[in-house]
Amino acid sequence: MRLRALVILSLVSAFVAVGIGCEAVEEEASRIETERLSAIVRELASDKYEGRAPGTPGGRRTVEYLIEEFDELGLEPGGVEGGWTHEVPLIHTQIEAPAVMQFVVGGEAQPLEQKLDIEASTVRAVDSIAINAPVIFVGFGAYAPERDWDDYGEINLEGKVALYLVNDPDFAAKPDEPAAGRFGNRRMTYYGRWAYKFEEAARRGAAAALVIHETEAAGYGWNVASSSPGENYAVVSADATTPPVMLQGWLHEDAATALMRSAGYDLDELRIQARNPDFEAFELDGVSFASDLSVSVDHFESSNVLALLPGEAHPDELLMVAAHWDAYGVGEPDEQGRTVRPGANDDALGIAGVLEIARVLKAGPPLERSVVFAAWTAEESGLLGSAAYARDPIYPLEKTVANLSLDILNTAGPARDVILVGEGQSELEDDLARAAAAQGRTVTPESLPENGLFYRADHFPMARGGVPVLLIMQIAGGADLVDGGRQAGDQWIEDYIGNCYHQTCDAWDPDWDLRGAAQDIELFRTIIEDLGNSRRWPQWKSGSEFKAIREQSAGVRQ
Ligand SMILES: [Zn+2]
């Protein structure tokens, strides 16, 4: 059944049942409806969409569905040249077996086995990767002038292999060490993410960048780091001023320890040195890395879908609300023989939230500022749809007031609090607190900030472009559920992560209690309405790694 018909029917039945008039219609239009959220998820998580993998028929059907829904809601096309979409040219790369890689220490080869010792891949559209270069140990590899920290000094990485420690310099620092507190303590900063390290290596012209894996500091085990050996996805970029490194990946901690020992270094000692602000990158004496690899590359296209609700007074000032439409497609059969990984919560429910906010805002009085509704592709392949947009935005990032993203919501009923991801980053957390207070709820910071979820969803490419962001991601911490409290909230996360996350089990469930999700979506709607009728530009807080880039464009926001 089409959604429009569903709503009319439920409205009609509401009239018949309780015999109320126009106020009921307005009430209905101004609320996030759990039934609608459920119906949208049921549709998108059905087999018709085959797990919504980009570049597949199911992915294309998803794009068609989203366009139809936005169109029916009466929104304007918000994509490129008056259309609904923003095309994202993508590549899928696979380093072929056998993948020949080795360290050479003092003339002696130490072969590296893909998946066992190393997980190396490429985001370059190349046929082969031949590297034979010295290895530079760059410590944590942070270049953070705002923290008065530079691990690189005078070193030249051009054509070389950069070897990184995972996380940032104060993750493991003791309170009396000089690094303590310089990078948010246990909270991971962007400098701790592999994505940053690969980008910094590319900016400095390195041929390859490898991060030494450690389970606690990475936030996940080697099994996750090496789950798709040699495989990667990337956006094809027309702008090749800073091409990515040729080879990137993880080095197993045991392989790194063995390498250092054979070259006369002690990895534990190097970790301590790298936590010192005086540390500077250096070339490992007598050590080189060599690879001789064949790469297969597939090109394919996918699309972000964008819809616009133009503002009445300041249409060039935009609020963005977003979720990702893609999921994990079809995989190995589970015990029940299911092969589709339907991504019902991750992130069809987020998409349903975006559509519901669109419906309610469109039905309400016009806002002064514009709202753009974005459904991103290829999030699961590395935040690629949103990254492609941030690189080549349709609406200038300088005039994008905020990006509000939904990615995995609570399906266990109403909650007394909402979980904040990335505490201390921007003034939007104060907006969130006000909106929550109006619902009689509070804000609780995420319970595992060291996992760096703030850097692992589609809001992040916007943040990197300077746009203040808010993310609701229920796996960041257990909510204080009305039914069962924090313990029940934590249990919900354990069940979801343990059984369903990225698996066939992330399916639509008629027993979901979506009242908590509706509460959270309503928070975003309130914030958009509030900012949409003001001239306020929420700022990054001091200490945020994104404050500097936003301030560069302060002049256009007078
Ligand atoms: Zn997701």
Side-chain angles (χ1 to χ4, degrees):
M1 190 187 294
R2 308 248 349 124
L3 276 166
R4 175 62 54 93
L6 188 95
V7 164
I8 291 168
L9 271 182
S10 68
L11 274 176
V12 170
S13 57
F15 284 113
V16 173
V18 288
I20 40 176
C22 275
E23 273 168 33
V25 178
E26 267 172 31
E27 175 78 357
E28 190 90 7
S30 67
R31 259 202 335 249
I32 304 297
E33 294 291 326
T34 54
E35 298 79 10
R36 287 186 55 99
L37 294 173
S38 179
I40 293 165
V41 176
R42 184 180 194 176
E43 172 73 16
L44 285 172
S46 70
D47 281 353
K48 178 179 165 190
Y49 298 91
E50 300 164 331
R52 304 190 305 281
T56 66
R60 284 186 283 278
R61 274 195 283 278
T62 308
V63 169
E64 286 162 17
Y65 168 84
L66 290 169
I67 293 171
E68 265 175 49
E69 291 302 315
F70 281 128
D71 195 19
E72 275 203 27
L73 290 174
L75 270 68
E76 293 185 8
V80 174
E81 289 170 7
W84 291 98
T85 59
H86 173 250
E87 300 313 316
V88 184
L90 296 161
I91 50 166
H92 170 232
T93 64
Q94 176 69 55
I95 289 179
E96 308 281 7
V100 178
M101 291 177 274
Q102 60 184 19
F103 286 117
V104 180
V105 182
E108 207 146 308
Q110 296 181 4
L112 294 164
E113 194 174 327
Q114 179 83 296
K115 192 176 172 71
L116 205 68
D117 305 312
I118 191 168
E119 195 293 301
S121 64
T122 187
V123 292
R124 298 274 292 269
V126 293
D127 301 335
S128 62
I129 300 173
I131 296 172
N132 191 344
V135 178
I136 312 292
F137 178 70
V138 296
F140 294 95
Y143 174 70
E146 81 284 5
R147 288 157 211 263
D148 196 18
W149 193 285
D150 176 10
D151 285 329
Y152 296 92
E154 298 298 306
I155 200 86
N156 179 1
L157 286 188
E158 193 74 40
K160 298 179 183 150
V161 175
L163 188 56
Y164 287 83
L165 294 172
V166 68
N167 214 308
D168 57 36
D170 70 353
F171 177 73
K174 300 185 179 62
D176 59 345
E177 286 186 41
R182 296 277 283 270
F183 289 82
N185 291 314
R186 295 282 291 179
R187 179 176 78 80
M188 191 187 277
T189 60
Y190 186 39
Y191 302 105
R193 296 281 302 152
W194 53 256
Y196 166 79
K197 296 171 198 276
F198 297 160
E199 284 164 14
E200 194 59 44
R203 277 192 282 275
R204 294 165 185 271
L210 296 172
V211 182
I212 299 169
H213 180 265
E214 292 169 58
T215 297
E216 201 194 345
Y220 43 83
W222 179 255
N223 60 328
V224 174
S226 65
S227 62
S228 313
E231 185 181 21
N232 220 322
Y233 291 86
V235 181
V236 181
S237 172
D239 164 28
T241 49
T242 309
V245 291
M246 200 53 95
L247 192 69
Q248 64 185 51
W250 292 102
L251 184 63
H252 194 286
E253 195 177 2
D254 293 347
T257 305
L259 167 73
M260 291 302 184
R261 193 180 303 133
S262 66
Y265 300 96
D266 177 342
L267 183 57
D268 288 330
E269 192 53 43
L270 289 176
R271 285 190 178 109
I272 294 167
Q273 285 176 25
R275 298 206 294 263
N276 191 314
D278 295 335
F279 170 85
E280 270 190 26
F282 63 93
E283 186 171 326
L284 292 178
D285 205 16
V287 178
S288 62
F289 172 89
S291 74
D292 183 7
L293 305 165
S294 306
V295 185
S296 65
V297 182
D298 303 316
H299 287 259
F300 64 105
E301 285 255 325
S302 190
S303 308
N304 296 322
V305 181
L306 294 112
L308 185 70
L309 189 59
E312 296 249 294
H314 310 290
D316 60 329
E317 299 176 4
L318 285 122
L319 287 138
M320 175 181 268
V321 57
H324 67 89
W325 65 250
D326 66 304
Y328 265 81
V330 176
E332 295 297 310
D334 66 8
E335 282 168 10
Q336 297 164 47
R338 297 180 296 187
T339 56
V340 173
R341 296 172 290 190
N345 195 340
D346 181 12
D347 189 25
L349 185 50
I351 290 287
V354 171
L355 285 167
E356 267 298 85
I357 293 172
R359 180 183 66 83
V360 172
L361 289 179
K362 173 70 185 167
L367 301 178
E368 292 177 13
R369 285 168 157 169
S370 298
V371 186
V372 63
F373 302 88
W376 307 123
T377 184
E379 189 267 358
E380 303 288 11
S381 331
L383 319 181
L384 299 181
S386 55
Y389 177 90
R391 192 186 293 172
D392 184 19
I394 300 170
Y395 311 96
L397 299 186
E398 300 78 42
K399 290 232 162 179
T400 303
V401 180
N403 167 289
L404 310 180
S405 293
L406 297 166
D407 197 350
I408 305 180
L409 301 173
N410 159 25
T411 58
R416 296 186 193 93
D417 61 358
V418 57
I419 306 299
L420 170 65
V421 186
E423 188 188 17
Q425 282 284 0
S426 88
E427 291 172 1
L428 284 170
E429 71 183 59
D430 308 324
D431 290 79
L432 183 70
R434 274 194 298 277
Q439 289 184 355
R441 300 167 72 206
T442 56
V443 173
T444 303
E446 63 191 310
S447 55
L448 294 167
E450 59 266 40
N451 283 356
L453 287 178
F454 185 76
Y455 308 95
R456 288 165 59 180
D458 275 325
H459 65 300
F460 180 62
M462 303 301 145
R464 206 171 41 187
V467 179
V469 295
L470 262 188
L471 168 69
I472 291 184
M473 185 182 256
Q474 196 59 55
I475 56 174
D480 181 6
L481 297 175
V482 170
D483 184 8
R486 182 90 55 211
Q487 203 184 352
D490 286 338
Q491 186 61 47
W492 180 90
I493 294 182
E494 206 178 308
D495 291 345
Y496 181 72
I497 297 283
N499 302 318
C500 297
Y501 187 46
H502 296 169
Q503 320 259 340
T504 53
C505 150
D506 189 5
W508 175 78
D509 185 340
D511 294 333
W512 276 352
D513 182 344
L514 293 177
R515 287 176 296 166
Q519 280 180 315
D520 286 354
I521 295 164
E522 173 64 20
L523 294 174
F524 274 11
R525 189 200 63 78
T526 311
I527 293 170
I528 290 170
E529 204 170 70
D530 185 35
L531 283 171
N533 286 324
S534 91
R535 301 305 305 286
R536 195 156 55 83
W537 299 93
Q539 307 287 315
W540 292 101
K541 296 197 172 185
S542 62
S544 167
E545 52 274 58
F546 313 106
K547 191 175 177 63
I549 178 163
R550 187 63 162 180
E551 284 178 351
Q552 282 168 19
S553 64
V556 304
R557 290 186 295 277
Q558 296 304 318

